[in-house]
Amino acid sequence: MGKAISISENPFSKTNNQGIDIKEKAVVGLTQIAVLLIIAILFIILGIIIYQGREKFSWEFISSFPTDGMTKGGIFPALIGTFILVVVMSIAAVPFGTITAIYLTEYAKEKSKIAAAVRFSIRTLAVVPSIIFGLFGLGFFIQFVGTGMDTAFNEGELHWGQPNILWASLTMALLTLPVIIVSVEESLKTIPRELREASLALGATKWQTIKNVVFPGSISGIMTGTILAVSRGAGEVAPILFTGAAYYLATLPESLSDQFMNLGYHVYIMSTQSSDVEKTMPIQFATTLVLLILTLSLNLVAVIIRSRIRRRAK
Amino acid sequence: MKDTKIQVKDLSLYYGEKKALKEISLEIPRNKVTALIGPSGCGKSTFLRCINRMNDLIPDVKITGQMLVEGVDIYDKNVDVVNIRKKIGMVFQKSNPFPKSIYENIAYGPKINGIKGKNELDEIVEISLRQAAIWDEVKDRLGDSAMGLSGGQQQRLCIARTLAVSPDIILMDEPASALDPISTSKIEELVHELKEQYTIIIVTHNMQQAARTSDFTAFFYLGELIEMGKTNAIFTKPEKKQTEDYITGRFG
């Protein structure tokens, strides 16, 4: 039977207006300022683009060709060119990336040297500056493979050995491969080991287990990876500078050996080489706005899918 | 030895340098329930997983000795391990249904084995679910996801899934340890019915369960087989002192 403690002596009654740490308040304040700053910068950038581009931004803008030396008209061919680029890029990169991810998660032994080499390559690819991809595309795809194809199939006549949408897409595919592989791997890892064991214990082979249990679980990772890759591929310019993007084309590309126009490249050209910068400024901003909307919405979808994957992991 | 289903001869298992199973020799009788008991870490689950070669999946594992099933050493180089697992099924401690429909879970095994006809599959699904005493509960919702079932139902589903490939032997690794008492007794009843057709080996840390459900009991300790015999004898007149100590709860 203890005796009662007076209020002043009771350690539980210590109120919190005694010596609040100035340091604590300062840190919280600093982080709040940082957050506000970042949001402000984002809004300023978005605000400028929307404000400057709203004049030209319209359905007509998206659906018509540029005219009068690109000082008037729309960006339709650039939109289509970008679209074809990301489609071909995805066809090349997604299966390749998925298979690599499945290999790394399901087949490679932990200490395997090959797996270590693959992982190292992926990490390196992910940090290579995008202009290097452009140079690689030029040197390898265009000058080596393309010229080689011309020598073998066209008796040396120049057809494949020059910039076109195929080479540009393949170059872009290399750039976005790490994103796809990482995404697919992440979703594969959320599939619990017990499910694989259950399948094997029923007498399934490893391949049957992958096909029926593992692969269906990786679909969301493939989707996320593809969307992230597409959003990156739609915006990058350096890899397509010398591998296929063109300043102006009167018609849409009709085959893989044609060149193409591109949204990001379009902005670049107009801001550096246009004949009348004042007239093209609104077009530049409107094009940027289109590109922004595209990539932001794609990223948003990818984030939503990814959070669903993470929830399943719990 | 025509009543012996599995004959184990000097089976040892190494995780790298560590010897987890030490020269295990025993005989599992056909169409009976054999319980493997022992304190945590004694190797009973490891031994169970040797029977359907699930330990092959763990890197750095080495197994020596022989495991003869119907006279055939399943660790022989020429043996097809995938086929072994069709004949020796396993039910895991934590139920692991596929994130598919109830029907697809049961049909998974037969489909893997090449059975395609819908009528044939329907029949197999119904028979398996009946054998697992869960048909009445799910027959109207075979298309629903298996993940929506309760823990006890999921475990019976996993048993049905195992039965669907018509194994000879069913291995159960503490199948009821994660379940409530009612589900547990349902599973125990099931085990009793299934032994008419199958040879069952069940790992359990619950001695009362071993005494209730099994015909034979093997006591493991620190990787060694200490004693094996008829359940009745083991629990009333154990031969080894270690067995007696464990059974009377002196250590666990």
Side-chain angles (χ1 to χ4, degrees), chain A residues 197 199-201 203 208 212, chain B residues 49 82 85 96-97 100 108 112:
Chain A
E197 284 199 331
S199 171
L200 292 168
Q208 283 172 323
N212 295 308
Chain B
R49 290 169 64 100
V82 165
R85 297 198 186 120
N96 49 12
K100 298 175 196 268
Y108 186 84
I112 294 283

Side-chain angles (χ1 to χ4, degrees), chain A residues 79-253:
Chain A
L79 203 58
I80 296 293
T82 305
F83 179 73
I84 300 178
L85 173 77
V86 299
V87 166
V88 180
M89 173 198 84
S90 302
I91 294 175
V94 172
F96 187 20
T98 305
I99 293 174
T100 308
I102 292 181
Y103 164 74
L104 285 175
T105 343
E106 307 294 320
Y107 285 97
K109 299 194 177 59
E110 279 223 14
K111 297 182 190 150
S112 152
K113 293 221 171 84
I114 298 182
V118 172
R119 287 190 204 278
F120 177 74
S121 310
I122 295 171
R123 263 197 292 272
T124 312
L125 260 184
V127 297
V128 164
S130 42
I131 189 82
I132 308 271
F133 284 99
L135 289 171
F136 176 77
L138 180 64
F140 180 71
F141 287 124
I142 296 179
Q143 290 175 347
F144 181 66
V145 178
T147 318
M149 280 167 73
D150 287 337
T151 320
F153 304 128
N154 286 346
E155 284 126 3
E157 196 188 309
L158 190 64
H159 183 65
W160 289 105
Q162 53 190 344
N164 59 37
I165 200 165
L166 175 66
W167 303 137
S169 305
L170 290 180
T171 307
M172 202 61 94
L174 288 176
L175 180 89
T176 54
L177 208 54
V179 165
I180 295 175
I181 295 176
V182 165
S183 233
V184 178
E185 243 195 310
E186 198 183 274
S187 75
L188 285 174
K189 290 201 171 120
T190 67
I191 300 173
R193 201 189 63 172
E194 296 83 58
L195 288 183
R196 295 183 180 84
E197 284 199 331
S199 171
L200 292 168
L202 287 167
T205 61
K206 188 160 190 175
W207 164 241
Q208 283 172 323
T209 303
I210 291 181
K211 191 174 120 195
N212 295 308
V213 174
V214 173
F215 182 72
S218 72
I219 301 264
S220 41
I222 296 176
M223 283 205 297
T224 316
T226 306
I227 291 174
L228 289 173
V230 164
S231 108
R232 183 112 188 259
E236 284 275 355
V237 177
I240 57 172
L241 274 179
F242 354 97
T243 50
Y247 178 107
Y248 173 76
L249 295 168
T251 54
L252 297 175

Side-chain angles (χ1 to χ4, degrees), chain A residues 29-102:
Chain A
L30 272 175
T31 53
Q32 283 173 337
I33 293 177
V35 170
L36 285 171
L37 202 60
I38 292 174
I39 296 181
I41 293 175
L42 180 67
F43 270 104
I44 291 174
I45 295 178
L46 280 178
I48 294 179
I49 294 176
I50 294 176
Y51 179 70
Q52 297 266 38
R54 82 197 186 295
E55 180 196 319
K56 283 280 176 185
F57 186 73
S58 67
W59 181 248
E60 219 191 292
F61 183 65
I62 299 174
S63 55
S64 54
F65 273 71
T67 56
D68 291 337
M70 302 232 274
T71 55
K72 290 203 197 125
I75 51 165
F76 186 64
L79 203 58
I80 296 293
T82 305
F83 179 73
I84 300 178
L85 173 77
V86 299
V87 166
V88 180
M89 173 198 84
S90 302
I91 294 175
V94 172
F96 187 20
T98 305
I99 293 174
T100 308
I102 292 181

Side-chain angles (χ1 to χ4, degrees), chain B residues 18-77:
Chain B
K18 177 165 179 266
K19 194 170 185 181
L21 292 175
K22 302 173 185 161
E23 284 88 27
I24 310 282
S25 294
L26 52 69
E27 281 170 27
I28 307 277
R30 175 199 307 284
N31 288 120
K32 299 273 183 239
V33 178
T34 303
L36 308 180
I37 63 172
S40 293
C42 65
K44 54 193 195 290
S45 288
T46 308
F47 175 71
L48 191 80
R49 290 169 64 100
C50 282
I51 302 177
N52 66 349
R53 291 187 56 174
M54 285 302 273
N55 285 327
D56 288 11
L57 302 174
I58 304 175
D60 262 0
V61 157
K62 197 177 82 155
I63 297 174
T64 61
Q66 285 184 313
M67 170 101 52
L68 301 164
V69 179
E70 299 283 13
V72 176
D73 182 11
I74 61 172
Y75 278 96
D76 187 88
K77 271 198 264 294

